[in-house]
Amino acid sequence: MAPVEAYDEPYEDLNRHEDPNEARFEDLHDDDAPYEDPTEAGFEDSRDDYGPHRIDYGPEPGAVAVADAASAPTGVHVFKDLIAALSEAAPAGKAAFATELANFLTRLPSAEEESVTQASKASRAVLYLVAASRSNPGDASLSMPAMCCLVNLADMGAQEQLVSEGGLSLMIGAIAHPDAHTQSFAMAGLMNMTSAGHAGVLAQLQRAQPELERLMDSENEQVRHYAGCTIHNMEHFRRIQKLSTPSTPPLELQERAEKVKVLVGERQEKELLERWGADSMQRFARGWLARAQVRKLLCGRVLAIAP
């Protein structure tokens, strides 16, 4: 397995990737940049920045448009409408609404991210996305956009909601997903989830670390990249936690300290008993001398009175 390079800061890749219908990703910072296939030899993904990033699902042919996110006056209303439509749709129709939601979150302005994450928490959007994905795990047309939504919500700071409503569990379960796109999205989600050092995230991912390390040898460049970044983030925040937590002495030192404590207590008790005995003897001696002097004095007076 290739070694994981250590970094001093959590991973952050601010590029947004697009995946229309093929395994291709686009750097949206450069509108003229050509598509590149991460499975092709020579593909390179920048590691210049460290932290979460948003992925671009891209338009899906045949998607049902509930609202035009680009021209909507507020993203919160569009988001709520899409979640309501997703929750009420029949199983066969959920994929279209999940795709629209993925496209909407991809193009959401940064200024509206906080309000949308609050709306997501209030509407339990993650729970609906997880339930829809689990209802038909073999349907890539549903699992892929649903996973993309979870990844972008994690990028916006909804890690706590993703932990409590099953989003992180779904990502961990998709580490070995048969669909390459869904697997890649899940790995990007784990990178985003670990970028903030959330304690619940690190605790759940602890059990999945062997699988993440195995994916460092994956043939998919994106999967290797995200797996390495996730492992790096986990180690980064473990080091921080270790530095901020008072160190615990080794077990042998703790046992030795307990023995010393017992011995000191026994010695102090012995010294108290010895001191009490000495004081008692001194009090007895002083009393005996006082009584002897009184008897002597009385005897002297009696002899003086006698004829």
Side-chain angles (χ1 to χ4, degrees), residues 28 60 81 90 94 113 171 185 250 252 268 284:
L28 299 184
E60 183 76 10
D81 290 343
K94 291 184 181 296
E113 288 182 0
M171 292 176 183
F185 286 169
E252 294 181 359
Q268 289 176 345
F284 176 79

Side-chain angles (χ1 to χ4, degrees), residues 190-210:
L190 294 179
M191 180 188 68
N192 286 354
M193 291 294 291
T194 55
S195 65
H198 190 285
V201 174
L202 299 178
Q204 288 194 42
L205 275 176
Q206 178 68 31
R207 298 187 296 270
Q209 183 159 347

Side-chain angles (χ1 to χ4, degrees), residues 27-50:
D27 183 353
L28 299 184
H29 290 294
D30 185 357
D31 296 334
D32 298 327
Y35 285 108
E36 293 186 71
D37 189 340
T39 61
E40 293 180 355
F43 176 82
E44 295 183 359
D45 194 7
S46 172
R47 296 195 180 199
D48 295 336
D49 301 316
Y50 288 83

Side-chain angles (χ1 to χ4, degrees), residues 12-271:
E12 177 180 7
D13 183 353
L14 300 181
N15 293 337
R16 299 180 182 179
H17 296 306
E18 182 174 0
D19 180 359
N21 298 310
E22 303 177 3
R24 298 189 296 187
F25 296 82
E26 179 183 10
D27 183 353
L28 299 184
H29 290 294
D30 185 357
D31 296 334
D32 298 327
Y35 285 108
E36 293 186 71
D37 189 340
T39 61
E40 293 180 355
F43 176 82
E44 295 183 359
D45 194 7
S46 172
R47 296 195 180 199
D48 295 336
D49 301 316
Y50 288 83
H53 80 181
R54 194 188 301 187
I55 58 176
D56 190 343
Y57 185 72
E60 183 76 10
V64 177
V66 175
D68 185 358
S71 60
T74 171
V76 174
H77 294 93
V78 178
F79 179 81
K80 290 181 177 179
D81 290 343
L82 286 170
I83 290 297
L86 176 68
S87 63
E88 297 170 1
K94 291 184 181 296
F97 294 111
T99 299
E100 280 299 311
L101 185 60
N103 291 331
F104 165 76
L105 290 176
T106 295
R107 293 161 178 78
L108 182 70
S110 300
E112 297 188 32
E113 288 182 0
E114 183 177 357
S115 59
V116 167
T117 53
Q118 293 175 354
S120 173
K121 186 175 182 179
S123 63
R124 307 196 72 180
V126 171
L127 193 64
Y128 287 122
L129 287 166
V130 172
S133 184
R134 291 192 186 280
S135 65
N136 193 358
D139 184 5
S141 65
L142 174 59
S143 63
M144 186 164 54
M147 189 65 70
C148 180
C149 293
L150 297 178
V151 173
N152 288 338
L153 285 172
D155 168 64
M156 298 175 194
Q159 285 94 345
E160 185 175 350
Q161 183 187 5
L162 285 158
V163 172
S164 62
E165 296 185 5
L168 175 61
S169 177
L170 185 68
M171 292 176 183
I172 294 175
I175 287 178
H177 199 283
D179 178 69
H181 297 73
T182 303
Q183 181 192 34
S184 180
F185 286 169
M187 296 303 301
L190 294 179
M191 180 188 68
N192 286 354
M193 291 294 291
T194 55
S195 65
H198 190 285
V201 174
L202 299 178
Q204 288 194 42
L205 275 176
Q206 178 68 31
R207 298 187 296 270
Q209 183 159 347
E211 184 68 14
L212 293 172
E213 293 174 352
R214 185 187 65 81
L215 289 176
M216 290 295 296
D217 296 326
S218 172
E219 296 180 358
N220 189 316
E221 176 73 18
Q222 286 293 117
V223 169
R224 291 200 306 272
H225 173 64
Y226 293 141
C229 295
T230 300
I231 293 173
H232 155 71
N233 288 345
M234 293 170 65
E235 295 298 331
H236 172 78
F237 287 105
R238 281 176 189 155
R239 289 196 299 270
I240 293 178
Q241 186 178 19
K242 185 177 181 181
L243 291 174
S244 60
T245 303
S247 59
T248 302
L251 182 59
E252 294 181 359
L253 294 180
Q254 294 183 38
E255 293 177 350
R256 183 178 178 183
E258 289 296 328
K259 291 180 180 178
V260 170
K261 184 177 179 181
V262 171
L263 291 174
V264 169
E266 292 177 350
R267 182 173 180 179
Q268 289 176 345
E269 184 178 359
K270 183 179 179 181
E271 290 176 351

